[in-house]
Amino acid sequence: MRIVLLGAPGSGKGTQAQRLQAKYGVPQVSSGDLLRDSVARGTELGRKAKAVMDAGQLVSDDIVLGLIRDRLRKPDAARGFILDGFPRNIDQANSLNGLLKELGQPIDTVLLLDVRRETLMQRLAGRRTCPTCGSVYNIHSMPPGANTCSKDGAQLYQRPDDKEDVVAKRLEVYQTQTQPLIDHYAKLGQLRVVAGEGALEEVFERMEAAALAKAVPAERVKVTARKVKSAAAKKKAPIKKAPVKKAATKKAAVKKAAVKKAKARRKPARKTAAKRTVRRKTAQRAVAKKKTKARRR
Ligand code: AMP
């Protein structure tokens, strides 16, 4: 299993990647986690990345690519991987393609978790993390006043990049830099779109089903995925098949109307003929009556 998970921050990529990891035994490779680990260890790379991350911007491509390259070369990734948060722009996607060619491990599927913006805002700004074990909670689904990890009792904290203003920035960065990847992978026929709202288990089932289903054709992606407004998507807007279908429908409608008209024309004719018969028969009956009367007299 070699999967790339696409989706806005807060779409649930991390959570779903952990589930896939547990079920299929392939490692979740999260660029965000790798960067946070470097920050926590206080490496030079981590010091460079921290300010950029806290501002909600993207860390430079070579830093992230270096981390991903090292991670994918580890033995546990030889059986497959779930890439979470990487690639985040077209250059990274191209670099990834080169790296995977080198490793002889091409991508099987790209899964896009599709979630509305208001849901993303609520999930991210309400997120609280355990500093010790990394468990993630949300204030909207926690009992009021609770602020400790249910696993180890540590005081939960809000990631600096989960503050509301930074969240807005991260979503903007996603829209401008990462969303073009939706078109990119759709054109390659590798993209499958998954509705990312609802119970975790349901979303997971959808993800598994999508991983087994056929890829979504490029022209359907812009209908399904939200806010895809890249130039490429706009160019593709008049889907070729649609006018053909419309024309066919129009032709059928014209034919139907003509048949209806003809029927309508025939109907009164039949009615008139019937009326004429009735009138003729009534007249005949009247004549017969007169004749009978005359005979009686
Ligand atoms: P995440 O946990 O995936 O939301 O990532 C947290 C932060 O790490 C992002 O807001 C970026 O600053 C940085 N980051 C993660 N992945 C990448 C990437 N592929 N390219 C650049 N920056 C990244």
Side-chain angles (χ1 to χ4, degrees):
M1 176 181 275
R2 291 181 295 269
I3 288 183
V4 166
L5 289 186
L6 276 188
S11 58
K13 297 188 300 295
T15 313
Q16 296 298 341
Q18 279 167 14
R19 290 186 161 221
L20 287 171
Q21 171 175 271
K23 184 156 180 182
Y24 294 96
V26 288
Q28 168 199 19
V29 175
S30 155
S31 47
D33 284 351
L34 291 171
L35 284 162
R36 278 185 287 278
D37 179 57
S38 305
V39 173
R41 286 188 290 112
T43 63
E44 200 195 325
L45 185 154
R47 277 196 299 279
K48 271 190 202 160
K50 189 177 183 328
V52 183
M53 291 168 76
D54 288 353
Q57 302 279 6
L58 291 188
V59 175
S60 80
D61 289 350
D62 13 315
I63 288 185
V64 189
L65 187 65
L67 289 171
I68 293 287
R69 178 178 283 122
D70 291 348
R71 182 65 188 88
L72 291 183
R73 284 199 170 131
K74 289 199 171 151
D76 66 336
R79 281 176 291 119
F81 47 78
I82 301 143
L83 275 172
D84 159 17
F86 185 90
R88 275 255 221 310
N89 58 34
I90 297 285
D91 284 345
Q92 288 185 8
N94 291 332
S95 304
L96 175 67
N97 191 34
L99 173 62
L100 295 181
K101 263 191 192 151
E102 257 173 50
L103 298 172
Q105 293 229 57
I107 296 167
D108 297 325
T109 314
V110 177
L111 295 178
L112 166 68
L113 272 171
D114 190 24
V115 175
R116 283 170 302 163
R117 188 188 160 88
E118 51 271 34
T119 312
L120 296 171
M121 284 300 287
Q122 199 186 41
R123 282 186 187 173
L124 289 167
R127 185 156 71 179
R128 297 294 180 270
T129 309
C130 172
T132 342
C133 70
S135 292
V136 174
Y137 299 83
N138 195 290
I139 52 167
H140 301 289
S141 51
M142 275 160 64
N147 196 30
T148 49
C149 177
S150 62
K151 289 175 192 150
D152 54 32
Q155 190 80 11
L156 302 179
Y157 81 109
Q158 185 176 37
R159 266 169 49 176
D161 59 346
D162 280 345
K163 302 244 157 56
E164 212 158 311
D165 52 333
V166 185
V167 164
K169 182 75 209 165
R170 287 166 70 197
L171 291 179
E172 187 194 315
V173 168
Y174 172 77
Q175 202 162 344
T176 53
Q177 304 202 40
T178 310
Q179 249 177 207
L181 288 177
I182 297 174
D183 273 353
H184 176 81
Y185 285 117
K187 278 185 200 145
L188 294 174
Q190 292 177 313
L191 188 79
R192 285 146 218 201
V193 184
V194 176
E197 293 185 46
L200 285 183
E201 199 49 50
E202 277 170 23
V203 177
F204 184 68
E205 279 169 17
R206 276 179 227 141
M207 288 194 57
E208 281 188 302
L212 302 171
K214 277 190 169 184
V216 175
E219 66 267 24
R220 268 189 55 202
V221 170
K222 61 182 184 332
V223 179
T224 323
R226 289 171 217 286
K227 296 176 229 119
V228 184
K229 285 178 184 159
S230 72
K234 276 182 194 162
K235 249 188 218 170
K236 275 195 277 110
I239 303 163
K240 273 187 183 164
K241 275 187 179 169
V244 176
K245 222 177 164 187
K246 260 188 192 169
T249 324
K250 211 174 169 186
K251 257 186 185 176
V254 168
K255 204 174 168 187
K256 212 173 163 187
V259 170
K260 211 174 164 186
K261 223 173 171 183
K263 268 187 187 170
R265 252 185 266 120
R266 272 203 307 274
K267 263 185 202 162
R270 251 191 265 136
K271 265 188 192 169
T272 324
K275 272 183 189 169
R276 248 186 263 129
T277 316
V278 170
R279 257 186 264 129
R280 195 173 358 105
K281 282 190 176 169
T282 319
Q284 278 170 353
R285 254 182 261 127
V287 170
K289 248 184 185 179
K290 263 185 184 176
K291 276 183 182 173
T292 319
K293 267 184 186 175
R295 252 185 266 129
R296 273 185 201 149
R297 272 187 231 130

